[in-house]
Amino acid sequence: MFQKVKLVLCGWAVLALSLPINAQKTGSALKPVEKVARKGSELVIPYEKYVLPNGLTLVVHEDHSDPIVHVDVTYHVGSAREEVGKSGFAHFFEHMMFQGSDHVADEEHFKIVTNAGGTLNGSTNKDRTNYYETIPSNQLETALWLEADRMGFLLDVVTQKKFEIQRSTVKNERGQNYDNRPYGLVGETTARTLYPYGHPYSWLTIGYIEDLNRVNVDDLKNFFLRWYGPNNATVTVGGDVNPKDVVKMVEKYFGSIPRGPEVKNRKLAAVTLPQDRYVSYEDNVRFPLLQMVFPTVPNRHPDEAPLDCLAEILGGGKNSILYKNLIKEQKAVQADASHPASELAGEFTLRVLPFPGQTLADMEKMVRASLQEFEKTGVTDDAITRFKAKYESDIINSLESVAGKVSQLAANQTYTGSPNYLPTDYKVHMAVTKADVMRVYNQYIKNKHAVILSVVPKGQAQAVAKPDNFKPTTDGYKAPADQYAGLKYVKPKDNFDRSQRPGAGKNPVVTVPPFYRDNLPNGIKIIGTENKEVPMVTLLFSMQGGHKLSAKDPSRAGIASLMAAMLNESTEKYTAEDINSQLEKLGSSISVSGGTEAINVTVESQVKNLDATLALLEERLLRPRFDPVDFERLKKQRLEAIANQATQPTVIADNVYNKLLYGEGNILAVPAIGTAATVNTITLEDIKNFYRENFSPSVTNLVIVGDIKQQDIKPKLAFLEKWTAKPVTMPVLPPMPSGDKSKIYLVDKEKAAQSEIRIGYLALPYDATGEYYKSGLMNYILGGNFNSRINLNLREAKGYTYGARSGFSGTELVGPFTAQAGVRANVSDSAVVEFLKEIKTFRSEGIHDDELAFLKSSVGQRDALKYETPYQKAVFLNNIIKYNLDADFVKKQNEILQNITKEEINTLAKKNLPLEKMNIMLVGDKALIKPGLEKLGYEVVELDTEGNQVKQTATPTAPVTPATPAPAEKNKKAPAKPRKSMPEIRTS
């Protein structure tokens, strides 16, 4: 069989060689079955594709722009391959794959990659599981050795103890990301209502607790044997590599792994609903939620792109119908539409969070009226243009990093059999017409039935849109044939010693991006660098002061953030809708945000549209309208967001912790968003005055990163010289409290499944080469990486948490040292004991020789990963200009790192880990956790959700170490989102 690829994309030719798809070894290496090369500026990712005799697919992308490599191993198995009653296997096994293999000890996978200066993780979704590393290019062979070892040599080291630890970790993850999170069960409730019983998408990737409790270690081993064969995997390598070298390494390490059982792609009949299905549940939320989900089509179906466009028109931004009818009219805090599509099905989703005073029944009527309005108004040419421009920019942005390009190649190969699906996908989206959008609306939405979910605050069951009319049933379900009988574990046979870890090649030469500086007459300081990898330009403006300026009038705290929000609205020349429409047609973005120390303006534009984007930036920066209607709406939204924070344990913990650190009367003790009392006092005239007095070029830094030279962009920024400078005085903040002794502070969050822990004190101001930097090195071993003492104890050994960490976070003035985690409620006291034990032990006993070597190796090789993307470059340059750093500060940091001694580390630990003066704060269920905390020997002070003291309880003086409960599991990122995920439910 031959495979031929020849595509023409908007005049860009994409050429591929025609070669036998089953080409095998010629001499000592495989020959490519497919090659794709870029000509000029084509929107294509060059690669070579190989297929090993055991069925493993290898895709190699060569890119020498940075001395890094990204390795991705994708297995075509996700939760959709699981069985009824055994949900969560795919994700559970992702955890197990980090627990060692025959030639890699427990926790060594993380340690080896981190020691090499790399990062790693894994993710699981409905349809695939992937594992990946980004590493300096000299560490490629090590990454491939690690991945091959767990593909071919895993099961003998899967022990019952590891199994139990990871089972507990998955439960912690479920608690943190689903059960204890506002609206966390929306997806699970929707899935079991939308899909018939037994459908592969009728449960979530995380699985059900009862299934996790039921599973045994042999079930998990069978899952591996069935789905983790090389013939169900794609290895994708991209970056600073030679394809011939990659092929030899992959042949060596993966070639002897036996094929697994055959895996076939599936197609399922489209889901249809005989009637609208109303379901509901109560949650610990302030805003009720209405969600309508219509079943649609899978990924890469011809109707997917027009449905995506329909979602943008209905609820994709300030020009959408839902925004106009619900948000603009102050009926809803949030209203959006999306069309996440997976391999077997898609879900067209409409979602609304109403303002208090509006019912979910009202929201349903308004959403349905908005759909009828769309039927009458139809699709405009502008809407199609906006959709296509946004899609193009999103695609270009996704290719900024080698990881982004590798992920694209890996996903396309896994789902389509060709890595080169990007041009096809692009072409399909660029071909969408108005008629296509109306056709899919009529086919999938108009007069069709949906799942209509109501999420209501606890105790308000009567507030649902309509009473529930559906319960899942097993009617029509037929169990599939057993796929797990007779599976055998056969280890590879090699002619080399796999226990010998590959040596690293020569360390790559890492250069800090060359940059230029400039100053405008009105005081703007400019720093920039040319970046030719993608045809984009990023500008980052930073106006110093931000929330700190509220110290001049604390009664109006939150004004900087609210003023920044107003700058995203109407200008003298354009309405907010007009300016957003123009930006979307350009594929550009301009966003203004208010932070603690600065007001930031971020601009992204394709080079070809930069002039038009900067013209809109001039409007937004220099000619805001400050419309009273916009102000009223934003202020109302802000007050609701502040009230909503009382439902979120993590936000409560951060806010109360800051109040403990900075003390009453310090503006830094007040959230940047403000409080209900302070925001209520802010008037529109206050906003105008704040803009006139503080929004000034005299305190503005500008970072420029993009595919444009300094001499070419400078004339385009001439409009900034029209910006009149004014003196801005930074307020002097009151002295920070030093703390006399450690106390436990407890905020009651009734019935919380988890407790949020914060332990720390006000430590050090930022400096790049002094005590702050060195203390960061000291903390790296304590709580600054996955293999840190804190995380290995609380997550891996004890199973209390999904992840625990510590760190210094300095600013120009001062910043805290914080150790933190979200832990199971029933181990809250034990978790505090373990945190304190690790800090005390590190302070008293210091760092070990092997830990010092690990620190120097890991941090010393990370530079290769620091400056790859435009955003990374912008952050790097922003720090240089913000803190007035020397051009060679990175070199100085490396010298400090390589010369730092155990004695210096230990001295820093003794000085900067003052355990006797740290605040110990918990947000959790008082009734459950207070008795254990009172046994620890500290004074326990009860606070409300705003940090005000409720009452104080004396406690025993002799600390008692609680018994250690049973274990749980590992820290990794949350599962990767689908290619098009639903918008996040914004709750603050």
Side-chain angles (χ1 to χ4, degrees), residues 56 69 91 308 590 634 658 771 855 863 895 950 973:
L56 179 75
V69 175
H91 173 249
D308 293 346
I590 301 172
L634 290 176
N658 280 339
E771 186 172 345
L855 165 69
D863 282 354
E895 291 172 353
V950 177
K973 292 178 184 173

Side-chain angles (χ1 to χ4, degrees), residues 39 226 263 402 635:
K39 292 184 177 179
R226 176 65 186 91
V263 178
V402 68
K635 182 175 176 178

Side-chain angles (χ1 to χ4, degrees), residues 294 307 310 314 348 350 368 371-372 374-376 437-450:
F294 297 83
L307 282 164
L310 176 63
L314 291 179
F348 194 94
L350 304 164
R368 293 191 185 277
L371 294 177
Q372 291 172 357
F374 169 73
E375 291 181 37
K376 295 176 183 176
V437 177
M438 291 308 302
R439 175 180 56 77
V440 296
Y441 171 79
N442 290 323
Q443 184 172 347
Y444 300 102
I445 310 300
K446 184 179 180 180
N447 299 326
K448 297 300 186 293
H449 299 301

Side-chain angles (χ1 to χ4, degrees), residues 630-647:
D630 290 338
F631 174 72
E632 180 188 354
R633 172 172 43 82
L634 290 176
K635 182 175 176 178
K636 184 178 177 181
Q637 289 177 342
R638 186 61 49 93
L639 289 168
E640 290 300 329
I642 291 168
N644 183 57
Q645 291 181 344
T647 67

Side-chain angles (χ1 to χ4, degrees), residues 503-618:
K506 184 179 179 182
N507 280 352
V509 177
V510 181
T511 57
V512 173
F515 55 86
Y516 56 83
R517 293 179 185 257
D518 201 356
N519 295 308
L520 297 185
N522 57 5
I524 296 178
K525 299 175 183 178
I526 298 176
I527 189 169
T529 186
E530 186 180 1
N531 179 53
K532 302 179 72 66
E533 292 184 39
V534 290
M536 299 288 293
V537 176
T538 297
L539 306 180
L540 176 60
F541 293 83
S542 182
M543 277 136 275
Q544 305 308 301
H547 176 57
K548 285 195 300 187
L549 292 170
S550 296
K552 299 175 182 179
D553 184 2
S555 68
R556 287 169 173 74
I559 193 171
S561 175
L562 189 53
M563 188 274 290
M566 287 292 290
L567 293 181
N568 290 313
E569 297 295 325
S570 305
T571 68
E572 292 177 2
K573 188 175 179 181
Y574 301 108
T575 66
E577 292 78 9
D578 289 338
I579 202 167
N580 277 276
S581 177
Q582 293 192 51
L583 286 169
E584 287 177 357
K585 285 190 284 186
L586 295 168
S588 302
S589 66
I590 301 172
S591 62
V592 188
S593 61
T596 301
E597 295 188 297
I599 292 169
N600 297 308
V601 182
T602 305
V603 182
E604 289 192 339
S605 172
Q606 294 184 55
V607 175
K608 64 182 181 182
N609 295 327
L610 183 58
D611 289 339
T613 302
L614 292 177
L616 296 172
L617 175 66
E618 179 179 356

Side-chain angles (χ1 to χ4, degrees), residues 321 325 363-374:
I321 292 172
N325 292 346
M363 293 299 100
E364 183 182 355
K365 290 176 184 176
M366 292 180 191
V367 170
R368 293 191 185 277
S370 296
L371 294 177
Q372 291 172 357
E373 178 184 336
F374 169 73

Side-chain angles (χ1 to χ4, degrees), residues 206-225:
I206 192 68
Y208 293 111
I209 287 290
E210 55 268 31
D211 289 353
L212 293 171
N213 287 334
R214 185 185 301 119
V215 63
N216 64 53
V217 70
D218 290 330
D219 290 329
L220 212 62
K221 288 182 178 182
N222 278 332
F223 190 84
F224 174 82
L225 291 172

